[in-house]
């Protein structure tokens, strides 16, 4: 049974940093990604990484501020978020499966972790 367990969310002031973690149990995947969903908005792509090569892609809104990385021996993906803005406030979801910017590219989802950025 596949489980994705996220951690690391919280409350931070604008300009601050947070690091999210997503631990995968059960199997490895071609890729993993992070999405986010703000209140009243659609879930949107944030970043993705391929498991073997470590190739990364980012949404334009987070390029240069967020970094996705992985730790193979721990089956864990990270999202380092720097220079956070109030508009980054959302529930952040880890996803696993293929790799891409569409929700349909992923087969498994975590429960989500809240990130709140105060101004």
């Amino acid at each position: 049974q596949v489980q994705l367990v996220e951690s690391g969310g919280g409350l931070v002031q604008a300009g601050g940093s947070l690091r999210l973690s997503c631990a995968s149990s059960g199997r490895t995947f071609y890729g993993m990604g992070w999405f986010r969903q703000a209140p009243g908005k659609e879930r949107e792509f944030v970043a993705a990484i391929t498991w073997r090569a470590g190739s990364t892609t980012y949404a334009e809104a987070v390029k240069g501020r967020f970094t996705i990385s992985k730790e193979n021996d721990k089956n864990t993906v990270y999202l380092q978020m720097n220079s956070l803005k109030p508009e980054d406030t959302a529930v952040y979801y880890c996803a696993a499966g293929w790799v891409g910017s569409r929700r349909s590219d992923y087969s498994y989802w975590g429960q989500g972790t809240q990130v709140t950025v105060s101004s």
Side-chain angles (χ1 to χ4, degrees), residues 28-107:
T28 57
F29 302 91
Y30 180 82
M32 294 183 71
W34 288 96
F35 285 71
R36 66 186 182 185
Q37 188 166 17
K41 294 188 176 182
E42 295 289 318
R43 192 172 299 187
E44 64 176 6
F45 171 74
V46 175
I49 188 167
T50 59
W51 197 254
R52 184 167 292 184
S55 300
T56 59
T57 59
Y58 295 93
E60 285 297 324
V62 306
K63 274 184 183 178
R65 300 188 298 123
F66 290 11
T67 302
I68 188 170
S69 62
K70 61 183 177 69
E71 196 167 358
N72 288 34
D73 59 349
K74 293 185 178 181
N75 276 356
T76 298
V77 171
Y78 304 97
L79 185 68
Q80 177 67 43
M81 305 184 294
N82 298 329
S83 302
L84 282 161
K85 305 175 182 179
E87 52 263 44
D88 294 317
T89 295
V91 177
Y92 282 71
Y93 295 90
C94 174
W98 190 239
V99 70
S101 61
R102 302 171 301 180
R103 293 179 62 176
S104 59
D105 291 326
Y106 302 89
S107 302

